[in-house]
Amino acid sequence: MRAARSDAGGNSTRTSPVGPLHQLVDRLGIDTVLLAVIDPQGRLKGKEHDARTLLQRLDSGPVTPEMCGYVLGTDLDMTPLRGGEFSWEGGFGDVAVQPDFDHARVLPWEPNSAIVLARPLDGGRPHPLSPATILDEQLDQLQGLGYEVRVGIETEFVLYTGTGTDAAAAGWRGLRPVTWDNRDYALDRPGPAANYSRLLRQALAGAELPVEAVKLEGAPGQIEVTFPYGPARDACEQHVLFKHAAKAVAEQQQLAATFMAAPADGVGSGMHLHLSLWDGDRPLLVSDQDAGALSAVGEHAVAGLLDVLHQTGPMWAPYVNSYKRLRGPFAPSKLVWGWDNRSAAVRVVGHGRSLHLEVRLPGADANPYLALAAAVAAVRHGITNGLKPDEPITGDADCDEDLRVVSRHPWDAIEKFDAGRVSRELLGERVVAHLASLAWLEVDHHAARVTDAELARGFAQS
């Protein structure tokens, strides 16, 4: 949390939890530094350092640590790729990382700890396969056209009683959610859910990661957290740290949080990207003539999203489980747009200056850097090609059989991504090949696994 101190005049001030590492160590008694990179799954990977020892190294000159490069090329289980630079074929070599020691952040959910995010390097430059670099490339290209992207992210996850250790011991089955029925928008919350929500908000506020709102969702144990609008890069960093906090605070309360897209039959957790374009203080998605209509740029952006997102599935639906959410309730199944229509893949929402696009395809399991990179690339594609969308959908898009369908299977999505001309033009051959390889690795993991559903359907009947 923020620590109080006194200035020269004796007045009480507050020390920010974000700033140069040496200041946080001196003022807040930080003894542990987590030096982390963001992996393809959107997780924090790195090492724990003694704060004073690390500062002593910094006093002697620049510090450029290294870690095994396979942190950029593994699946959820840390299984590496079979070939390429992040495999035995490449010798499992290290990559250098460039820490941002001037932007350390206190983690109130980790005692006396701060985190320093680091950027993987390739020949002294940002590594092109790092998720943050992939996003940076897209944001920079759109910025070059005169457009600033602002983003707000809202994410759903499911909270269970018992710790992750308890869940593993139970084989991840039979877990009891903290709520047992549809409590969407309910304020009569069971004690564990209400207490968890408050502690999570306090922890995030103490790290200067303010939450806009927290609410219960429709599925048992499901919670939705919404963050304020802001710069795109900040939104993604905030989201990664939020997931770290959500799991840590849950563990401290003898609970377990999961961001699986479909943790149970009929349950789907999404990560909705609220995206807008600006030129300084001028919003660009709303028409200058009609505050309730899209501008030409807004129409181009919508058309680009619908044209490209179906070719970039592995960036916003990276796992086999991701596609089970897309078959469930409240997940878009058709590649359409609509005004304040939650059945559409792209929902236009807000009024006047707040008019923005809600991209509803990504699941809670997506890496925000990659999901947003796909969306920004799509917006750029729509703008540069002057695309125009079809008429907006009205009513339930899921009921219209004539509309274009979102990929229902991961292998279909991967094939479209890997072979897509537009995806390769927008993202680059190396990025597409790498992310497609990781996606196939996930599919292959499941190919030979016999599931409970297969046994239930086939044991006696086949």
Side-chain angles (χ1 to χ4, degrees):
M1 299 293 185
R2 293 188 178 190
R5 62 183 176 87
S6 296
D7 60 22
N11 297 316
S12 177
T13 61
R14 305 291 283 179
T15 299
S16 172
V18 182
L21 179 61
H22 68 277
Q23 292 183 8
L24 299 185
V25 172
D26 291 341
R27 295 176 182 175
L28 301 181
I30 297 299
D31 60 31
T32 301
V33 177
L34 306 181
L35 189 59
V37 302
I38 296 161
D39 75 356
Q41 290 74 34
R43 302 172 297 188
L44 297 171
K45 295 290 182 179
K47 296 181 180 180
E48 175 183 305
H49 294 260
D50 178 79
R52 290 294 176 186
T53 302
L54 185 56
L55 288 180
Q56 289 172 5
R57 288 182 60 194
L58 283 170
D59 288 340
S60 302
V63 173
T64 307
E66 295 183 342
M67 63 179 65
C68 183
Y70 94 139
V71 296
L72 297 179
T74 65
D75 66 5
L76 276 172
D77 285 334
M78 297 300 288
T79 302
L81 291 167
R82 297 183 181 88
E85 56 193 289
F86 304 127
S87 67
W88 283 116
E89 183 178 282
F92 274 119
D94 285 344
V95 295
V97 299
Q98 185 177 54
D100 186 0
F101 289 112
D102 289 331
H103 188 74
R105 187 187 300 269
V106 174
L107 299 183
W109 55 92
E110 296 272 354
N112 302 317
S113 297
I115 191 167
V116 173
L117 293 180
R119 180 180 290 272
L121 301 176
D122 181 25
R125 298 178 59 81
H127 201 294
L129 301 182
S130 163
T133 306
I134 293 171
L135 174 60
D136 282 347
E137 177 68 21
Q138 297 304 318
L139 291 172
D140 290 345
Q141 291 193 55
L142 199 56
Q143 183 75 45
L145 299 176
Y147 303 99
E148 175 198 352
V149 179
R150 297 182 189 174
V151 176
I153 299 178
E154 64 180 17
T155 301
E156 300 156 343
F157 63 101
V158 179
L159 192 65
Y160 296 94
T161 59
T163 65
T165 301
D166 298 332
W172 313 104
R173 292 291 185 181
L175 303 177
R176 184 160 57 89
V178 293
T179 60
W180 51 89
D181 53 8
N182 187 335
R183 292 293 179 99
D184 199 13
Y185 287 98
L187 294 178
D188 53 336
R189 301 165 296 168
N195 189 51
Y196 173 81
S197 173
R198 181 175 59 256
L199 293 174
L200 178 60
R201 284 187 293 103
Q202 291 173 348
L204 292 169
E208 217 166 77
L209 299 168
V211 170
E212 182 174 288
V214 180
K215 65 181 278 288
L216 293 180
E217 266 287 346
Q222 195 172 45
I223 297 172
E224 180 186 82
V225 177
T226 305
F227 289 93
Y229 256 96
R233 295 175 178 88
D234 291 350
C236 291
E237 177 182 324
Q238 175 175 262
H239 186 77
V240 170
L241 294 175
F242 149 66
K243 288 181 69 173
H244 191 265
K247 293 182 178 183
V249 172
E251 189 79 12
Q252 292 162 9
Q253 298 301 305
Q254 298 294 297
L255 302 170
T258 182
F259 287 83
M260 286 182 68
D265 293 349
V267 177
S269 292
M271 180 180 73
H272 302 152
L273 304 176
H274 292 260
L275 181 152
S276 59
L277 299 178
W278 295 74
D279 178 10
D281 291 330
R282 178 174 167 246
L284 299 177
L285 294 181
V286 62
S287 169
D288 291 332
Q289 289 74 41
D290 183 354
L294 285 173
S295 65
V297 168
E299 291 182 342
H300 299 331
V302 168
L305 286 166
L306 297 177
D307 193 46
V308 172
L309 283 177
H310 79 289
Q311 297 186 48
T312 55
M315 299 180 73
W316 47 264
Y319 314 118
V320 170
N321 183 259
S322 307
Y323 295 82
K324 297 179 180 180
R325 165 186 168 262
L326 293 174
R327 290 172 174 264
F330 281 97
S333 63
K334 303 294 173 59
L335 287 159
V336 293
W337 72 286
W339 289 88
D340 197 14
N341 189 331
R342 286 182 167 86
S343 72
V346 178
R347 173 185 176 222
V348 182
V349 66
H351 310 278
R353 289 173 58 86
S354 69
L355 192 76
H356 63 273
L357 310 178
E358 180 188 13
V359 182
R360 295 177 56 80
L361 286 172
D365 55 355
N367 182 331
Y369 288 88
L370 297 179
L372 183 57
V376 173
V379 167
R380 178 165 60 87
H381 172 72
I383 292 173
T384 56
N385 290 283
L387 302 183
K388 297 280 286 185
D390 292 334
E391 290 298 310
I393 190 71
T394 57
D396 186 356
D398 195 45
C399 296
D400 192 332
E401 298 300 327
D402 295 329
L403 299 175
R404 189 166 48 161
V405 178
V406 176
S407 291
R408 292 176 175 268
H409 302 285
W411 47 89
D412 175 56
I414 301 168
E415 287 174 349
K416 287 178 180 176
F417 179 60
D418 202 11
R421 175 184 58 81
V422 173
S423 60
R424 289 181 176 271
E425 287 178 355
L426 292 172
L427 300 163
E429 297 278 348
R430 188 179 179 188
V431 168
V432 170
H434 176 64
L435 295 179
S437 295
L438 289 178
W440 282 124
L441 197 61
E442 288 291 343
V443 170
D444 289 346
H445 171 82
H446 292 273
R449 299 296 178 98
V450 178
T451 66
D452 291 350
E454 289 174 288
L455 289 171
R457 285 173 61 86
F459 190 93
Q461 299 288 353
S462 59

